[in-house]
Amino acid sequence: DGIGYMNLLRRFSQDRIERELAYVRARTTVPALMLADLNWGLFPEDVDTARWLAESKAAKGWPRSLLATTAKNQKKRMQEIAALLGDSISVGASVQSTDPVVLENIKRSNISVDTIVEMTTSTRRAGSRTISEVILCLPGDTKDKHIRSIDDMMDAGIRDMNTFQFIMLPGTEAASDASKAMFAYQTRFRVLPGCVGRYTIFGREFGVAETHEVCVANATMPIEDYLACRDYHLTLAIFNNGGLFDEVLGVAQALGCKRSDVLKRIHDKAIAVGGMADLYWQFREDESRNFHADQAAIDAFIAAPGTIDGYLSGFYGNNQIYWYKTLATVEKFQDLIVIAFAAVREIAQACHALDETAQAYLSELSTLIVAKKSDLLDLDREFEFDLSFDFVEAERRDYKALPADLKLSEKKRAHVRHADESKDVIRKYYAQYGTSLSELSYFIHRDNLSVLYRSLSMG
């Protein structure tokens, strides 16, 4: 991870790993398992661990989901792991950037886009989600390069796009004084989200916070472009990641429109429409409130009376992306529906694909998404309505099917609800994380929002 010491490899025996997993399974009520491994899938034996986890899920219902950073240069092995674990795992293809100049500056090479396309196709077939990561404001980065990197991954078939800020990790070459001077970094300091608390030591209470340094501009990216990219990150988090509008984006692709073009149209609408525009403004204000000019400034701020309490209460220090994604999903869901469907209709019209059948399909799809994904805290809510399209078949095809191919000869009754087993799993998540906005934002940070969605049956 950028420090030579961390390149040393070691692995416990397979027997020990499986015994430790069984030990955890017997004692936990948490549905998810997180692996503290930067490259899971690097070792051939990791496939055996995946097989054990798949068998454990089938027999014991645990783990429901697996959170892991997967190896990007082990395509065949990750395909095998995805086939075993299905929707329990998201398979990663982290690139940081797809621009050759930026990659040269950070001394990194990526797997080819063709390889990523092949990997995403096979992992989607297995039922796994795909995920990629890009980093904002790397040396040589620009707004256009950064957005293009995101577009490249989405149009290669990657589902979820995790976007990160460029953090000056101590000990790495990127954080050296020479790099800072060469690329004219402008940096700010903040407290890591969640890394703050009060501790009593030898009878004295201390407020403690962990801080880090973030690059917010460089020689090729002014801070105004950095802020515009952060706005786009929020749009991706809300409308793309976690599958909130997979159905909309899928049918747009079936109609011949690029996923990246739809997201850009959604973004233009989101930052300009009423309450959503206010949300983006609040997002910027919140992020600005958490940044400080230098280490001395943030140290003084942390030491001031009331600051630690401000962080503990959530006034400072939230992960802004996940906080505002949660706020939008819970409190502005109808606004999201209006924006997403207006954008896809406009894009489909531009692609000359918005005929009468497509219009009817989108209308019913809007009703279906509201039923599946609104009021996520109400586990007992159920919906019934008639549908003219086979949305069960659409889901089987990943929603990448033409509306005309899904038209039914006669309407069928749709039922949307949580199965009892799903309710039990979700209650465990809510017991682990809680159900306030801040607690839900932490859940979304750690797990996939899609586990909260209701299921559709037709008959």
Side-chain angles (χ1 to χ4, degrees):
D1 66 352
I3 300 174
Y5 174 81
M6 300 299 288
N7 290 330
L8 303 174
L9 297 178
R10 177 175 176 173
R11 190 180 192 280
F12 291 123
S13 70
Q14 188 63 27
D15 176 67
R16 171 172 174 165
I17 289 171
E18 292 178 5
R19 283 189 290 111
E20 290 194 358
L21 287 170
Y23 180 94
V24 172
R25 181 181 65 191
R27 290 161 174 80
T28 187
T29 59
V30 175
L33 172 68
M34 179 181 288
L35 301 182
D37 187 335
L38 294 178
N39 292 281
W40 191 60
L42 184 67
F43 292 100
E45 297 88 348
D46 290 339
V47 177
D48 297 327
T49 303
R51 186 174 293 108
W52 188 97
L53 291 168
E55 292 170 354
S56 173
K57 179 183 176 183
K60 305 285 187 179
W62 184 90
R64 172 61 186 82
S65 59
L66 181 69
L67 313 177
T69 302
T70 55
K72 74 179 180 71
N73 287 319
Q74 296 293 339
K75 180 190 69 175
K76 184 177 180 181
R77 194 168 299 146
M78 289 315 305
Q79 290 172 335
E80 191 174 354
I81 287 173
L84 288 165
L85 293 173
D87 66 354
S88 294
I89 191 171
S90 293
V91 177
S94 299
V95 294
Q96 322 311 351
S97 175
T98 59
D99 182 76
V101 173
V102 174
L103 291 173
E104 183 178 358
N105 288 340
I106 62 175
K107 300 180 180 178
R108 180 185 174 95
S109 61
N110 285 330
I111 56 178
S112 70
V113 172
D114 288 343
T115 300
I116 291 173
V117 170
E118 183 183 346
M119 184 193 72
T120 57
T121 301
S122 64
T123 53
R124 279 204 312 272
R125 197 178 297 123
S128 302
R129 291 190 71 84
T130 50
I131 190 168
S132 189
E133 297 172 341
V134 294
I135 298 177
L136 174 63
C137 212
L138 291 168
D141 204 5
T142 67
K143 177 183 173 181
D144 288 344
K145 289 179 180 181
H146 182 72
I147 300 298
R148 192 179 310 119
S149 295
I150 294 170
D151 290 350
D152 288 343
M153 291 298 97
M154 283 199 294
D155 293 335
I158 294 291
R159 278 291 180 82
D160 292 344
M161 290 299 308
N162 276 352
T163 52
F164 294 98
Q165 292 153 292
F166 181 26
I167 297 169
M168 306 287 98
L169 296 175
T172 61
E173 182 178 338
S176 68
D177 290 341
S179 290
K180 290 180 179 180
M182 179 182 298
F183 298 106
Y185 296 160
Q186 295 180 40
T187 64
R188 299 290 186 272
F189 289 74
R190 71 178 176 199
V191 172
L192 277 72
C195 294
V196 62
R198 291 190 180 279
Y199 303 90
T200 301
I201 304 172
F202 298 121
R204 291 182 58 196
E205 185 177 81
F206 296 85
V208 180
E210 183 177 354
T211 64
H212 63 190
E213 185 179 9
V214 179
C215 184
V216 297
N218 61 33
T220 53
M221 179 179 284
I223 196 164
E224 293 79 12
D225 286 356
Y226 167 89
L227 293 172
C229 288
R230 287 294 286 166
D231 286 345
Y232 193 58
H233 291 177
L234 181 57
T235 297
L236 289 171
I238 295 170
F239 290 92
N240 182 74
N241 297 352
L244 197 64
F245 290 104
D246 271 358
E247 300 91 339
V248 181
L249 296 168
V251 70
Q253 289 176 261
L255 293 171
C257 311
K258 286 186 177 181
R259 190 182 186 99
S260 59
D261 289 342
V262 180
L263 261 298
K264 287 193 184 74
R265 185 66 61 94
I266 286 173
H267 178 68
D268 291 342
K269 290 182 173 299
I271 61 176
V273 174
M276 285 300 294
D278 290 342
L279 183 136
Y280 281 82
W281 178 82
Q282 292 170 26
F283 168 68
R284 283 200 180 194
E285 287 289 303
D286 197 2
E287 192 157 70
S288 174
R289 184 169 62 238
N290 285 281
F291 275 137
H292 298 268
D294 52 37
Q295 189 68 57
I298 195 170
D299 288 345
F301 179 71
I302 292 168
T307 297
I308 294 294
D309 290 334
Y311 280 103
L312 294 176
S313 70
F315 182 73
Y316 300 115
N318 286 317
N319 184 307
Q320 281 81 32
I321 288 287
Y322 289 101
W323 168 260
Y324 284 96
K325 173 185 172 71
T326 306
L327 183 65
T329 303
V330 174
E331 297 188 358
K332 297 181 180 293
F333 189 77
Q334 288 300 326
D335 289 339
L336 305 186
I337 288 283
V338 170
I339 290 168
F341 277 88
V344 78
R345 285 188 177 97
E346 290 178 10
I347 290 289
Q349 185 74 58
C351 296
H352 306 290
L354 194 63
D355 58 17
E356 185 176 340
T357 302
Q359 287 273 27
Y361 179 92
L362 289 172
S363 179
E364 290 194 356
L365 183 60
S366 175
T367 300
L368 177 60
I369 292 177
V370 170
K372 290 175 65 176
K373 301 175 182 181
S374 64
D375 299 322
L376 294 178
L377 296 177
D378 188 350
L379 300 187
D380 295 318
R381 188 167 186 186
E382 299 183 13
F383 299 81
E384 285 193 9
F385 41 84
D386 292 328
L387 291 173
S388 305
F389 297 87
D390 189 346
F391 285 102
V392 172
E393 176 63 17
E395 185 174 357
R396 191 186 70 78
R397 297 193 201 179
D398 210 17
Y399 288 92
K400 295 182 179 68
L402 290 172
D405 295 339
L406 300 168
K407 191 78 168 67
L408 296 168
S409 57
E410 58 182 31
K411 288 187 176 184
K412 287 187 177 181
R413 196 68 174 164
H415 307 269
V416 180
R417 61 183 292 272
H418 285 301
D420 290 340
E421 180 183 354
S422 296
K423 290 181 185 179
D424 290 341
V425 170
I426 294 170
R427 287 190 181 104
K428 289 178 180 178
Y429 279 117
Y430 287 159
Q432 177 188 357
Y433 293 102
T435 55
S436 70
L437 280 179
S438 60
E439 289 164 339
L440 285 173
S441 72
Y442 190 72
F443 163 75
I444 293 173
H445 189 186
R446 293 298 183 186
D447 218 299
N448 200 318
L449 184 65
S450 62
V451 304
L452 307 180
Y453 302 153
R454 300 177 188 91
S455 299
L456 165 70
S457 61
M458 295 179 66

